[in-house]
Amino acid sequence: MSGFDAGWVAYSNQSRPGADDEVPYLEKHAAQAKFHEFLRTFQTDTEGQQSSEVYKYSDALIKDKSRLRVDLQDVKLFDPDLGACLQRSPAEYLPLLEAAALERIQRSDRQDGENQAPSDLQVFLHSSAQFGPSSMRELMSSHVSQLVMIPGIVTHAATRKHKATYITLECKTCHTIKTVTCKPGVGGAMIPRMCDAATLGGEGNTCGQDPFIILPSRSKYVDQQQLKLQERPEAVPTGELPQSMTLIVDRHLVGKISPGTRVSAIGIYSIYQTKDAKSKDGKGGIAIKQPYLRVVGLEQDIEGDAHNSPTFTMEEEAEFKAYAAQPNLHERIFAKIAPNIFGHADIKKAVACLLFGGARKRMPDGTARRGDINVLLMGDPSTAKSQFLKFAAKTAPISVYTSGKGSSAAGLTATVVKDNSGEFFLEGGAMVLADNGVVCIDEFDKMRPEDRVAIHEAMEQQTISIAKAGITTMLKSRTSVLAAANPPSGRYDDMKTAQENIDLQTTILSRFDLIFIVKDERSMDRDKQIARHVLNVHKNAGSALEVDEEEKKEEEFLKRYLEYCRVKCSPRLTQRAAANLATDYVEIREEVRQRAAGGEGEMPAVPITVRQLEAIVRISESLARMQLQVDVTEAHVQQAMDLFKTSTMDAVRAGATEGLVFTEDQKAEMHHVQVQIKRRVSIGGFVSESKLVDELVRVGLNDSLIRRALLYLVTCGEFEYRKERRLIHRLQ
């Protein structure tokens, strides 16, 4: 039995963390040594594969000694046990990774003869592959204290605060200095109730209870900010409210994210005790904890960023390039737009152009030109306007669908909210949440005028300026707007002028690149075709799973092709295409001028301005982008001009005054009607339009002539419509 205890000691560490778990446990000194070896030796090639080309993290530390981005998948590739420990217990192992990075910098500086090693370094974690829960709804109690990766939209960014990492205390009686470490995240510090300095000499404690005071000047702080992360609109199940979560960011992550930014947050899923945790009866509240995410890495999903743009495989890129090289590509893409809707070929072209978009441009003076295309569908009910909006919302990678009556100015742009602490913060609306995407607004005519005015800036400058409650800022709103509206009477009346049918302000109409008048044409042949198409759609719905799977594949391919074209292609006009476009624009302006001069002198309902010239440029760029071409040719300009003429120019020409030439007697009668209207309405007075028309009809005047005279007076600025054209107000 001699020597049974010589040279080694056997023990059982039953209390160590992870003893009963499947994830292996590494001692701290061993883990830090492995992290140091990982940072020193991990190599990768230019495409991210492990090879002997580049020392990825060693070179990164040489370039920037204050921060380091580490891919969690690289750690797992280097040592699966180390990566599993970091994912399972990040609060314990992430400080070891930062300490290893600091040690690596210090060793490198000593070798180079430098003595300026940083005192603090922050490691950002990111992941090239999704791990753990993929949404907020999948977070469970078993994920507490683990590393998770959650996508969403930042809707609220609080002001910057300063969090103490450790505080310095001084005893009021014996002036003993004591340092207390603060918990990370929203955790605080436990200040001792008694001073233990007097008891060290064997005497009783004479300092009393609560003797310590805090010395702020000798404490250490870091910047901290609170964010609010909300589920992405496309990820919210139908009929449910989007869930949200509090994010806590610190140090170099503070102030980097603005409301409306789409991010993938990697952090430690943590819990904290709320102030109002106690229930009304005072029992059981202490066990209820509120979850939050202590962020250790943020990846922005913003179009145009080098490492944040959508990634595509080599096979996908080859497939997309082969698809773009096919003949009749435009017709193939247009056929994929809302295939269940019969007809409306021009609207399908417009929706396709809206989804692909034009090219954004940054000018030398710092200003920007929008590349997003706005489309308005105006016309009769039951003409599939809402179905086009639903298709665009489903197909666009980023989209928000809303209704005009249920939308306010604050809900569309941004609002200032007061939190429980009394501070004001911004919450982004639909136009902010759909940044780099599409906003679909149904029942656009039902919106209040002041709410429509609120989106003027967002539709043209693509920014939302806020100056409320002491908050002055500017949010990005790079979105396309697809809106659907009905005329004031519900149906498009051919006997009324375009101004009467399109009851929207000129300022909002000029911001739409394409305006379509959608009419329910009454034709027996067309009705038969529509009936046959609709019945076939209903009959074949869900009958063949193979057909449904094929449709899903087509939708997914169109989505990916959209993303690829928007990221990889930014076309520009050629010299000859620009010259042709300038000539066509001048001709259109001359046509509108002659129509205004040859008729009753009234201006068209849809103005033709320089914005429409830029609209044709954007449509031409969109058509070139569909083919992955960097040059906009004359053919693209001609196709865009044809689409513009069949949409907006048809809306300009629409109305009951089309082709009418008034004789001298008719002009005199029109003047007589205007005099009768002015006699019955005093300057500054209000009168109901229906009552005024009925009264003038009773004295023998023509109803159509009365309405045209009213419209002429409104155009001249002598009268104005109020209360959705129900009241008439005389200005002069």
Side-chain angles (χ1 to χ4, degrees), residues 663-675:
T663 63
E664 291 298 328
D665 294 339
Q666 289 174 330
K667 291 181 180 179
E669 188 176 359
M670 178 70 73
H671 178 72
H672 174 66
V673 174
Q674 294 174 13
V675 172

Side-chain angles (χ1 to χ4, degrees), residues 564-602:
Y564 183 79
C565 292
R566 291 177 70 97
V567 171
K568 300 294 185 180
C569 185
S570 181
R572 292 292 186 270
L573 279 171
T574 60
Q575 191 66 31
R576 294 184 60 183
N580 293 350
L581 182 55
T583 303
D584 293 339
Y585 171 72
V586 172
E587 292 177 355
I588 290 176
R589 288 274 294 182
E590 180 64 20
E591 177 187 347
V592 174
R593 188 193 67 79
Q594 291 178 358
R595 289 177 57 82
E600 303 174 21
E602 59 186 31

Side-chain angles (χ1 to χ4, degrees), residues 449 503 686 689 720-728:
D503 188 24
F686 292 84
E689 184 195 28
E720 70 172 355
Y721 284 113
R722 292 285 187 90
K723 301 291 184 181
E724 297 180 354
R725 301 178 66 102
R726 292 195 299 270
L727 292 181
I728 298 174

Side-chain angles (χ1 to χ4, degrees), residues 12 119 256 275 645:
S12 175
S119 60
K256 302 298 183 183
K275 294 180 180 179
K645 289 180 178 179

